[in-house]
Amino acid sequence: MSETAVQRVEAERAENARPKKRAPTWPWEFARDVAYLRAGISNLFFIGPPDAGDRNWVLVDAGLCGYADCIAEAAASRFGSRARPAAILLTHGHFDHVGALADLAKRWDAPIHAHPLEMPFLTGRCPYPPPDPTVGGGLMSSLSWLYPRGPIDLGGRARDLPADGVVPELPGWRWIHTPGHSPGHVSFFRDRDRTLIAGDAFVTTNQESALSVLTQRPTVHRPPAYFTQDWEQARHSVETLAALKPVIAGTGHGVPVKGEELHHGLLTLAVDFQRQATPPYGRYVGTPAEFGRLGVISTPPDVPHPLLRLLVGFGLGLVAGQALRSSRGRGA
């Protein structure tokens, strides 16, 4: 090997031995002053102009547990290294939307605003009702019995959204109650340019399917079925959002969608929700969970998974067959 080649190999080894600096996390802007970041399986949103500085922007939702540093890094890259949000807004309190919330709220000393019906799940009073693994048909649904139900306890940082629809620290935006996926689920809408942050009132990927979650192929889709506990309310919420005729929408799962793809997909979902979105069976299909200001009032009884029914039936058949063979053997 020539001297030059040896030097090149040694230089490459030295470079590989150096600790690598982690690449910065950048939020992606999809509307005027609105950017999103995917934190695990869910999205969160930054509202405010680039380089806005301290207390001049707002965070919507907070991703999965363990993403606090990632989210803070993304915020610093967009708004400035010491820029804290004026407030944190929640579409709802499910685990994949509040995982880093307590850490970020403490780090930034920021208030948190949510609908009053979400407060029991954010202040330590009550867990959400159990998910329904029998709906959706995909791996994400089948595994949903493992997902955390809370509650978390944000203490005095948690505050009710104003009853008049005004969004704290966000002039020009309004919040809209869009329940069904959770009792106090809200969406945020800016009338000026018809920008929508829909949370999980509808999503833009088939969240029940692990393959769709990995590929993020865009489609206007029902709310994640396994955590939706009132399908009639969910239908009405989709109709409400479709009537706004949003130009662009960011949702809790999937990439932002705009234009005709959004308009046609959302209208179709609203018009044909019963056939296209409502599961044919399930724990909360026909009988929703009931909620109040103190949390869960009642939940319908559990529904066995169809696969479980099949396995139980198969097992009982084997037992019966073995018993029959044994009785015949004794008779002989």
Side-chain angles (χ1 to χ4, degrees), residues 228-303:
T228 299
Q229 290 152 354
D230 190 322
W231 285 98
E232 182 61 23
Q233 284 190 342
R235 178 188 64 80
H236 180 71
S237 292
V238 168
E239 291 174 348
T240 298
L241 296 180
L244 296 174
K245 298 181 179 178
V247 169
I248 191 165
T251 66
H253 305 274
V255 299
V257 175
K258 63 180 179 178
E260 183 58 28
E261 182 179 15
L262 172 62
H263 174 72
H264 176 74
L266 189 52
L267 182 61
T268 300
L269 182 63
V271 169
D272 200 23
F273 192 91
Q274 184 64 35
R275 185 184 66 83
Q276 188 181 128
T278 304
Y281 57 84
R283 181 171 189 170
Y284 303 102
V285 178
T287 305
E290 294 185 35
F291 301 91
R293 288 295 298 261
L294 297 180
V296 180
I297 297 173
S298 67
T299 58
D302 195 7
V303 175

Side-chain angles (χ1 to χ4, degrees), residues 172-189:
W173 290 78
R174 56 189 170 106
W175 67 265
I176 301 163
H177 189 202
T178 48
H181 186 62
S182 76
H185 189 288
V186 298
S187 303
F188 300 99
F189 188 67

Side-chain angles (χ1 to χ4, degrees), residues 46-204:
F46 301 96
I47 305 180
D51 301 315
D54 195 39
R55 304 301 193 196
N56 291 316
W57 59 280
V58 164
L59 177 70
V60 178
D61 288 345
L64 284 172
C65 182
Y67 276 84
D69 289 341
C70 174
I71 296 167
E73 180 182 339
S77 74
R78 181 166 176 81
F79 302 114
S81 61
R82 297 182 182 275
R84 299 166 297 173
I88 301 174
L89 309 175
L90 294 180
T91 60
H92 62 301
H94 285 161
F95 78 102
D96 51 341
H97 294 258
V98 301
L101 183 59
D103 189 341
L104 291 173
K106 182 178 180 180
R107 183 183 307 199
W108 287 329
D109 189 26
I112 302 160
H113 298 272
H115 192 278
L117 290 176
E118 293 296 295
M119 286 299 164
F121 317 112
L122 303 173
T123 54
R125 296 180 204 160
C126 181
Y128 283 102
D132 186 356
T134 70
V135 294
L139 180 62
M140 299 296 287
S141 290
S142 297
L143 295 176
S144 63
W145 62 276
L146 295 170
Y147 302 160
R149 296 192 287 128
I152 62 172
D153 191 354
L154 301 172
R157 294 190 187 276
R159 306 175 185 178
D160 289 352
L161 282 164
D164 58 4
V166 170
V167 181
E169 309 297 341
L170 277 186
W173 290 78
R174 56 189 170 106
W175 67 265
I176 301 163
H177 189 202
T178 48
H181 186 62
S182 76
H185 189 288
V186 298
S187 303
F188 300 99
F189 188 67
R190 183 163 62 186
D191 290 273
R192 182 175 68 248
D193 57 359
R194 304 218 301 275
T195 296
L196 173 66
I197 296 177
D200 287 0
F202 69 92
V203 295
T204 56

